[in-house]
Amino acid sequence: KKNVLIIGAGGVAQVVAHKCAQHNDVLGDIHIASRTAVKCQQIIDSIHEKKALKNPGVLEGHALDATDVDATAALIEKTGSQIVINVGSPFVNMPVMSACIKTGVAYLDTAIHEEQDKICETPPWYANYEWKRREECAKAGVTAILGIGFDPGVVNAYAKLAVEDYFDKIDSIDIIDINAGSHGKYFATNFDPEINFREFTGTVYSWQDSKWQSNKMFEIKKIWDMPVVGESQTFMTGHDEVHSLSQNLDVPNVRFWMGFGDHYVNVFTVLNSIGLLSEQPVTTAEGQEVIPLKVVKACLPDPSSLAPEYTGKTCIGDLVKGTKDGKETEVLIYNVADHKDAFNEVGSQGISYTAGVPPVAAAMLIATGEWDVKKMANVEDLPAKPFLNLLNGMGLPTRIKDANGDRALDFS
Ligand code: NDP
């Protein structure tokens, strides 16, 4: 058993905490920390309400500013935590990693590190912060698994599975993320608006013909016909996993496509065009300094408030093309998740659910030793099957569609 410290108490942390509780026979004590202690307590209350703790065990909340490395290290030691699941804002990633290296415990996150004042950095993004610390992790014997949400995360494991089982040579990986759900609001983001919009205001980097290509957001559109959700409009988007898969797998084309309806594109375009998504302060006529993006965030619905009314499904997967035994081959490896099912199980919407379940599966693989690699790893550096096997039983089953049909994949 290994005790877990969860950093953050937002939408994803809620799912992580519930799933840790459901699996506290493999994991041990569960601690949740964010700056606002009451948010941690609300998650704890919801776990007790659902009677989610598998075994009687410790479940505690703590007030913590995770940018304070010493305070985080002290909490890790005080709670006897051996695995830190960092699902706080991506601004805290590097300080939390420092605290893990300092105390010699495992580190997991679901998003690339970001600095508040830098909107889009040079590719590959992991090389700007995370990969600079590879040696430090290896020297300290610290297992650090980067980007272990759904995308990045599970989609990296799907790519690895394609390499392991379905191809001799891969020409392209197109990662397609469709949320066909409906939250019933005029406009809302599925997670922190600040983080969400940052994804779409920078340059769109894709890996094409083994080099970086730059585009603008909403410049390249493509319709995909995906299982269950059907024909969906997507746009090429910059995303973390393009930056690791392009470097770690020998694949000349890696692209990411996110589904957006016309309404989202219109609202986003208006907000962006008139400067309301800017992080640069502006001064009002009354002399008050405000950051437009913070104002927009304050006006939009809190993403976690969407959960009770959210209906519909998500479909996220990797369309992989290449050759096997000299023949051209194409497979789609994917998952379908349901917003209502997620709410009924853990009180969250489907986007938080797909992001929050994978880090818990990874923590379990660290606890059992299978993924306890004692160094820094992206998901595609690790064996895919034990991870996907666990996810099959934890609410995120893997399916495949290829020339042999559309079916569930069993790894047991
Ligand atoms: P939320 O904004 O809902 O939650 C973020 C949490 O971080 C809040 O509870 C906040 O609480 C806490 N936090 C922020 N700053 C600090 C700090 N300095 N110290 C301690 N806690 C802090 O975000 P989500 O739950 O939606 O997302 C969490 C992470 O998951 C993000 O990094 C996001 O990018 C990632 N994500 C990954 C996905 C994937 O598939 N890979 C998909 C969706 C999200 P407080 O303000 O009280 O401190």
Side-chain angles (χ1 to χ4, degrees), residues 230-288:
E231 282 204 348
S232 312
Q233 168 176 296
T234 68
F235 292 88
M236 192 190 275
T237 310
H239 231 241
D240 306 7
E241 53 272 44
V242 175
H243 294 258
S244 69
L245 293 172
S246 62
Q247 310 302 301
N248 292 335
L249 303 181
D250 182 22
V251 173
N253 298 288
V254 184
R255 296 168 287 242
F256 183 89
W257 305 87
M258 188 167 277
F260 294 96
D262 289 335
H263 177 66
Y264 187 104
V265 178
N266 285 340
V267 174
F268 177 90
T269 306
V270 171
L271 292 174
N272 200 26
S273 307
I274 61 176
L276 279 172
L277 301 185
S278 170
E279 294 188 309
Q280 298 307 316
V282 293
T283 308
T284 65
E286 293 74 27
Q288 209 179 353

Coordinates of all heavy atoms in Angstrom, one line a residue, residues 230-288:
G230 N -20.8 10.1 -33.9 CA -21.1 10.4 -35.3 C -20.2 11.5 -35.8 O -19.1 11.7 -35.3
E231 N -20.7 12.1 -36.9 CA -19.9 13.1 -37.6 C -19.7 14.3 -36.7 O -20.6 14.9 -36.2 CB -20.6 13.5 -38.9 CG -20.4 12.5 -40.0 CD -20.5 13.1 -41.4 OE1 -21.0 14.2 -41.5 OE2 -20.1 12.3 -42.3
S232 N -18.4 14.7 -36.6 CA -18.1 15.8 -35.7 C -17.1 16.8 -36.3 O -16.1 16.4 -36.9 CB -17.5 15.3 -34.4 OG -18.3 14.2 -33.9
Q233 N -17.4 18.1 -36.1 CA -16.5 19.1 -36.6 C -15.3 19.3 -35.6 O -15.5 19.5 -34.4 CB -17.3 20.4 -36.8 CG -16.4 21.6 -37.0 CD -17.3 22.8 -37.3 OE1 -18.0 22.9 -38.2 NE2 -17.2 23.8 -36.4
T234 N -14.1 19.3 -36.1 CA -12.9 19.5 -35.3 C -12.0 20.5 -35.9 O -12.1 20.8 -37.1 CB -12.1 18.2 -35.1 OG1 -11.5 17.8 -36.3 CG2 -13.0 17.0 -34.6
F235 N -11.1 21.0 -35.0 CA -10.1 21.9 -35.5 C -8.7 21.4 -35.0 O -8.6 20.9 -33.8 CB -10.3 23.3 -35.0 CG -11.5 24.0 -35.6 CD1 -12.8 23.8 -35.1 CD2 -11.4 24.7 -36.8 CE1 -13.9 24.3 -35.7 CE2 -12.6 25.2 -37.4 CZ -13.8 25.0 -36.9
M236 N -7.7 21.6 -35.8 CA -6.4 21.2 -35.3 C -6.0 22.2 -34.2 O -6.1 23.4 -34.3 CB -5.4 21.3 -36.5 CG -4.0 20.7 -36.1 SD -2.8 21.0 -37.3 CE -3.1 19.8 -38.5
T237 N -5.5 21.5 -33.1 CA -5.3 22.2 -31.8 C -3.9 21.9 -31.3 O -3.5 20.7 -31.5 CB -6.3 21.8 -30.8 OG1 -7.6 21.9 -31.4 CG2 -6.3 22.7 -29.5
G238 N -3.2 22.8 -30.7 CA -2.0 22.4 -30.0 C -2.2 21.6 -28.8 O -3.2 22.0 -28.0
H239 N -1.5 20.6 -28.5 CA -1.8 19.8 -27.3 C -0.5 19.1 -26.8 O 0.3 18.7 -27.6 CB -2.9 18.8 -27.6 CG -4.0 18.8 -26.5 ND1 -4.3 17.7 -25.8 CD2 -4.8 19.8 -26.2 CE1 -5.3 18.1 -25.0 NE2 -5.6 19.3 -25.2
D240 N -0.4 18.9 -25.5 CA 0.8 18.4 -24.8 C 1.3 17.1 -25.5 O 2.5 17.0 -25.8 CB 0.5 18.0 -23.4 CG -0.1 19.1 -22.6 OD1 -0.4 20.1 -23.1 OD2 -0.2 18.9 -21.3
E241 N 0.4 16.2 -25.8 CA 0.9 14.8 -26.2 C 1.6 14.9 -27.6 O 2.4 14.0 -27.9 CB -0.3 13.8 -26.2 CG -1.5 14.2 -27.0 CD -2.5 15.0 -26.1 OE1 -2.1 15.9 -25.4 OE2 -3.7 14.7 -26.2
V242 N 1.3 15.9 -28.4 CA 2.0 16.0 -29.7 C 3.4 16.2 -29.5 O 4.3 15.7 -30.2 CB 1.4 17.2 -30.5 CG1 2.1 17.4 -31.8 CG2 -0.1 16.9 -30.8
H243 N 3.7 16.9 -28.3 CA 5.1 17.3 -28.0 C 5.9 16.2 -27.5 O 7.2 16.2 -27.5 CB 5.1 18.5 -27.1 CG 4.5 19.7 -27.7 ND1 5.3 20.8 -28.2 CD2 3.2 20.0 -28.0 CE1 4.5 21.7 -28.8 NE2 3.3 21.3 -28.7
S244 N 5.3 15.2 -26.9 CA 6.1 14.0 -26.4 C 6.1 12.9 -27.5 O 7.1 12.3 -27.8 CB 5.7 13.5 -25.1 OG 4.4 12.9 -25.1
L245 N 4.9 12.6 -28.0 CA 4.8 11.5 -29.0 C 5.8 11.7 -30.2 O 6.4 10.8 -30.7 CB 3.4 11.3 -29.5 CG 2.4 10.8 -28.4 CD1 1.0 10.8 -29.0 CD2 2.7 9.4 -27.9
S246 N 5.8 13.0 -30.6 CA 6.7 13.3 -31.8 C 8.1 13.0 -31.5 O 8.9 12.7 -32.4 CB 6.5 14.8 -32.1 OG 6.9 15.6 -31.1
Q247 N 8.5 13.2 -30.2 CA 10.0 12.9 -29.9 C 10.2 11.5 -29.5 O 11.4 11.0 -29.7 CB 10.4 13.9 -28.8 CG 10.0 15.3 -29.0 CD 10.6 15.9 -30.2 OE1 11.8 16.0 -30.4 NE2 9.7 16.4 -31.2
N248 N 9.2 10.8 -28.9 CA 9.5 9.5 -28.3 C 9.1 8.3 -29.2 O 9.6 7.2 -29.0 CB 8.7 9.4 -27.0 CG 9.2 10.3 -25.9 OD1 10.4 10.7 -26.0 ND2 8.4 10.6 -25.0
L249 N 8.3 8.6 -30.2 CA 7.9 7.5 -31.1 C 8.4 7.9 -32.5 O 8.4 9.1 -32.9 CB 6.4 7.3 -31.2 CG 5.7 7.0 -29.9 CD1 4.2 6.8 -30.1 CD2 6.3 5.7 -29.2
D250 N 8.8 6.9 -33.3 CA 9.3 7.2 -34.6 C 8.2 7.3 -35.6 O 7.9 6.4 -36.4 CB 10.3 6.1 -35.0 CG 10.9 6.3 -36.4 OD1 11.0 7.5 -36.8 OD2 11.4 5.3 -37.0
V251 N 7.4 8.4 -35.5 CA 6.2 8.6 -36.3 C 6.3 10.0 -37.0 O 6.4 11.0 -36.2 CB 4.9 8.5 -35.4 CG1 3.7 8.9 -36.2 CG2 4.8 7.1 -34.8
P252 N 6.2 10.1 -38.3 CA 6.4 11.4 -38.9 C 5.2 12.4 -38.8 O 5.5 13.6 -39.0 CB 6.6 11.0 -40.4 CG 6.1 9.6 -40.6 CD 6.2 9.0 -39.2
N253 N 4.0 11.9 -38.5 CA 2.9 12.8 -38.4 C 2.1 12.6 -37.1 O 1.6 11.5 -36.9 CB 1.9 12.6 -39.6 CG 2.6 12.9 -40.9 OD1 2.9 14.1 -41.2 ND2 3.0 11.9 -41.6
V254 N 2.1 13.6 -36.2 CA 1.3 13.5 -35.0 C 0.5 14.8 -34.9 O 1.1 15.9 -34.9 CB 2.1 13.3 -33.7 CG1 1.2 13.1 -32.5 CG2 3.1 12.2 -33.9
R255 N -0.9 14.7 -34.9 CA -1.7 15.8 -34.9 C -2.8 15.7 -33.8 O -3.2 14.5 -33.5 CB -2.4 16.0 -36.3 CG -1.4 16.3 -37.4 CD -2.1 16.2 -38.7 NE -2.3 14.8 -39.1 CZ -1.8 14.2 -40.1 NH1 -1.0 14.8 -41.0 NH2 -2.1 12.9 -40.4
F256 N -3.3 16.8 -33.3 CA -4.4 16.7 -32.3 C -5.6 17.5 -32.9 O -5.4 18.6 -33.4 CB -3.9 17.3 -31.0 CG -5.0 17.2 -29.9 CD1 -5.0 16.1 -29.1 CD2 -5.9 18.2 -29.7 CE1 -6.0 16.0 -28.1 CE2 -6.8 18.1 -28.8 CZ -6.9 17.0 -27.9
W257 N -6.8 16.9 -32.7 CA -8.0 17.6 -33.3 C -9.0 17.7 -32.1 O -9.3 16.6 -31.5 CB -8.6 16.7 -34.4 CG -7.6 16.5 -35.5 CD1 -6.7 15.5 -35.6 CD2 -7.4 17.3 -36.7 NE1 -6.0 15.6 -36.7 CE2 -6.4 16.7 -37.4 CE3 -8.1 18.4 -37.2 CZ2 -6.0 17.2 -38.7 CZ3 -7.7 19.0 -38.4 CH2 -6.6 18.3 -39.1
M258 N -9.5 18.8 -31.9 CA -10.5 19.0 -30.9 C -11.9 19.4 -31.5 O -11.9 20.3 -32.4 CB -10.1 20.0 -29.8 CG -11.1 20.0 -28.6 SD -10.4 20.8 -27.2 CE -9.4 19.6 -26.4
G259 N -12.9 18.8 -31.0 CA -14.3 19.1 -31.5 C -14.8 20.4 -31.0 O -14.7 20.7 -29.8
F260 N -15.3 21.3 -31.9 CA -15.9 22.5 -31.4 C -17.1 22.8 -32.3 O -17.0 22.7 -33.6 CB -15.0 23.7 -31.7 CG -13.7 23.8 -30.8 CD1 -12.5 23.3 -31.3 CD2 -13.8 24.3 -29.5 CE1 -11.4 23.3 -30.5 CE2 -12.6 24.3 -28.8 CZ -11.4 23.8 -29.3
G261 N -18.2 23.1 -31.8 CA -19.4 23.5 -32.6 C -19.2 25.0 -33.0 O -18.4 25.7 -32.5
D262 N -20.0 25.4 -34.0 CA -19.9 26.8 -34.5 C -20.2 27.8 -33.4 O -19.6 28.8 -33.4 CB -21.0 27.0 -35.6 CG -20.5 26.2 -36.9 OD1 -19.3 25.9 -37.0 OD2 -21.4 25.8 -37.7
H263 N -21.1 27.5 -32.5 CA -21.4 28.4 -31.4 C -20.2 28.7 -30.6 O -19.9 29.9 -30.3 CB -22.6 27.8 -30.6 CG -22.9 28.7 -29.4 ND1 -23.5 30.0 -29.5 CD2 -22.8 28.5 -28.0 CE1 -23.7 30.5 -28.3 NE2 -23.2 29.7 -27.4
Y264 N -19.5 27.6 -30.2 CA -18.2 27.8 -29.3 C -17.2 28.7 -30.1 O -16.7 29.7 -29.6 CB -17.6 26.5 -29.0 CG -16.4 26.6 -28.0 CD1 -16.6 26.3 -26.7 CD2 -15.2 27.1 -28.4 CE1 -15.5 26.4 -25.8 CE2 -14.1 27.3 -27.5 CZ -14.3 26.9 -26.2 OH -13.3 27.1 -25.3
V265 N -17.1 28.4 -31.4 CA -16.1 29.1 -32.2 C -16.5 30.6 -32.3 O -15.6 31.5 -32.1 CB -16.0 28.5 -33.6 CG1 -15.0 29.3 -34.5 CG2 -15.5 27.0 -33.5
N266 N -17.8 30.9 -32.5 CA -18.2 32.3 -32.6 C -17.9 33.0 -31.3 O -17.4 34.1 -31.3 CB -19.7 32.3 -32.8 CG -20.0 32.0 -34.3 OD1 -19.1 32.1 -35.1 ND2 -21.2 31.6 -34.6
V267 N -18.4 32.4 -30.2 CA -18.2 33.1 -28.9 C -16.7 33.3 -28.6 O -16.3 34.4 -28.2 CB -18.9 32.4 -27.7 CG1 -18.6 33.0 -26.4 CG2 -20.4 32.3 -28.0
F268 N -15.9 32.3 -28.8 CA -14.5 32.4 -28.5 C -13.9 33.5 -29.4 O -13.1 34.3 -28.9 CB -13.8 31.1 -28.8 CG -12.3 31.1 -28.7 CD1 -11.7 30.8 -27.5 CD2 -11.5 31.4 -29.7 CE1 -10.3 30.9 -27.3 CE2 -10.1 31.5 -29.6 CZ -9.5 31.2 -28.4
T269 N -14.3 33.5 -30.7 CA -13.7 34.5 -31.6 C -14.0 35.9 -31.2 O -13.1 36.8 -31.2 CB -14.2 34.2 -33.1 OG1 -13.9 32.8 -33.3 CG2 -13.5 35.1 -34.1
V270 N -15.2 36.1 -30.8 CA -15.6 37.5 -30.3 C -14.8 37.9 -29.1 O -14.2 38.9 -29.1 CB -17.1 37.6 -30.0 CG1 -17.5 38.9 -29.3 CG2 -17.9 37.4 -31.3
L271 N -14.8 37.0 -28.1 CA -14.0 37.3 -26.9 C -12.6 37.6 -27.2 O -12.0 38.6 -26.7 CB -14.1 36.1 -25.9 CG -15.5 35.8 -25.2 CD1 -15.4 34.6 -24.4 CD2 -15.9 37.0 -24.4
N272 N -12.0 36.8 -28.0 CA -10.5 36.9 -28.3 C -10.3 38.2 -29.1 O -9.3 38.9 -28.9 CB -10.1 35.6 -29.1 CG -8.6 35.4 -29.0 OD1 -7.9 35.9 -28.1 ND2 -8.1 34.8 -30.0
S273 N -11.1 38.4 -30.1 CA -10.9 39.5 -31.0 C -11.0 40.9 -30.3 O -10.3 41.8 -30.7 CB -11.9 39.5 -32.2 OG -12.0 38.3 -32.8
I274 N -11.8 41.0 -29.3 CA -11.9 42.3 -28.6 C -11.0 42.3 -27.4 O -11.1 43.3 -26.6 CB -13.4 42.7 -28.3 CG1 -14.0 41.6 -27.3 CG2 -14.2 42.8 -29.5 CD1 -15.4 42.0 -26.9
G275 N -10.2 41.3 -27.2 CA -9.2 41.4 -26.2 C -9.6 40.9 -24.8 O -8.9 41.0 -23.8
L276 N -10.8 40.3 -24.8 CA -11.2 39.8 -23.4 C -10.6 38.5 -23.0 O -10.8 38.1 -21.8 CB -12.8 39.6 -23.5 CG -13.5 41.0 -23.3 CD1 -15.0 40.8 -23.6 CD2 -13.3 41.6 -21.9
L277 N -9.8 37.9 -23.8 CA -9.1 36.7 -23.3 C -7.6 37.0 -23.0 O -6.8 36.1 -22.7 CB -9.1 35.6 -24.4 CG -10.5 35.1 -24.7 CD1 -10.5 33.9 -25.7 CD2 -11.4 34.8 -23.5
S278 N -7.3 38.3 -23.0 CA -5.9 38.7 -22.7 C -5.6 38.6 -21.2 O -6.4 38.9 -20.3 CB -5.7 40.1 -23.2 OG -4.5 40.6 -22.7
E279 N -4.3 38.2 -21.0 CA -3.8 38.2 -19.6 C -3.1 39.5 -19.2 O -2.6 39.6 -18.1 CB -2.9 37.0 -19.4 CG -3.6 35.7 -19.6 CD -2.7 34.6 -19.2 OE1 -1.6 34.5 -19.8 OE2 -3.2 33.7 -18.4
Q280 N -3.0 40.4 -20.2 CA -2.3 41.7 -19.9 C -3.3 42.6 -19.2 O -4.5 42.8 -19.8 CB -1.8 42.3 -21.2 CG -0.8 41.4 -21.9 CD 0.4 41.1 -21.0 OE1 0.9 41.9 -20.2 NE2 0.8 39.8 -21.0
P281 N -3.0 43.2 -18.1 CA -3.9 44.1 -17.4 C -4.3 45.3 -18.3 O -3.5 45.8 -19.1 CB -3.1 44.6 -16.2 CG -1.8 43.9 -16.2 CD -1.7 43.1 -17.4
V282 N -5.6 45.8 -18.1 CA -6.0 47.0 -18.8 C -6.5 47.9 -17.6 O -6.9 47.4 -16.6 CB -7.1 46.8 -19.8 CG1 -6.6 46.0 -21.0 CG2 -8.3 46.1 -19.2
T283 N -6.5 49.2 -17.9 CA -7.0 50.1 -16.9 C -8.3 50.7 -17.3 O -8.4 51.2 -18.5 CB -6.0 51.3 -16.6 OG1 -4.7 50.7 -16.4 CG2 -6.3 52.1 -15.4
T284 N -9.3 50.7 -16.5 CA -10.6 51.2 -16.8 C -10.6 52.7 -16.7 O -9.7 53.3 -16.1 CB -11.7 50.7 -15.9 OG1 -11.5 51.2 -14.6 CG2 -11.8 49.1 -15.8
A285 N -11.7 53.4 -17.2 CA -11.8 54.8 -17.2 C -11.7 55.3 -15.7 O -11.3 56.4 -15.4 CB -13.1 55.3 -17.8
E286 N -12.2 54.4 -14.8 CA -12.2 54.8 -13.4 C -10.9 54.6 -12.7 O -10.7 54.8 -11.5 CB -13.3 54.0 -12.6 CG -14.7 54.3 -13.0 CD -15.1 53.7 -14.4 OE1 -14.5 52.7 -14.8 OE2 -15.9 54.3 -15.0
G287 N -9.9 54.1 -13.5 CA -8.5 54.0 -13.0 C -8.3 52.6 -12.3 O -7.3 52.3 -11.7
Q288 N -9.2 51.7 -12.5 CA -9.1 50.3 -11.9 C -8.4 49.4 -12.9 O -8.7 49.4 -14.1 CB -10.5 49.8 -11.6 CG -10.5 48.8 -10.5 CD -11.9 48.3 -10.2 OE1 -12.9 48.7 -10.8 NE2 -12.0 47.3 -9.3

